[in-house]
Amino acid sequence: MEEDVPQCGYCQSGQIMSAVALLSKKPKPTDADIDDAMSGNICRCGTYQRIRKAIHRAASMQTGKAKSAA
């Protein structure tokens, strides 16, 4: 929500599932990793740049939690 990704909701569940799968495999994905993982999801609103930014934010939040738990 901080990146204003949700718009119409058409793709949201698929985007979330793909992002979670990506982050479970690659905790620090590159832009290319994100683009590749998300390529099967069509966003009618065109928020692809914001989706990428939100995934980077989620990755950094996960990394921060992992560091604080250690």
Side-chain angles (χ1 to χ4, degrees):
M1 291 179 63
E2 289 85 358
E3 303 300 337
D4 288 328
V5 174
Q7 296 286 314
C8 74
Y10 174 79
C11 69
Q12 195 167 5
S13 58
Q15 299 284 6
I16 292 168
M17 297 297 288
S18 295
V20 169
L22 169 64
L23 292 175
S24 70
K25 293 177 187 173
K26 293 193 172 210
K28 293 183 178 183
T30 64
D31 284 349
D33 294 331
I34 294 170
D35 292 346
D36 185 51
M38 306 307 281
S39 66
N41 295 291
I42 297 172
C43 176
R44 295 179 355 180
C45 302
T47 63
Y48 297 107
Q49 300 298 333
R50 289 185 265 173
I51 290 167
R52 185 187 299 136
K53 191 173 181 182
I55 292 171
H56 281 298
R57 178 188 284 263
S60 68
M61 290 171 72
Q62 283 186 327
T63 303
K65 287 181 182 178
K67 287 180 182 176
S68 64

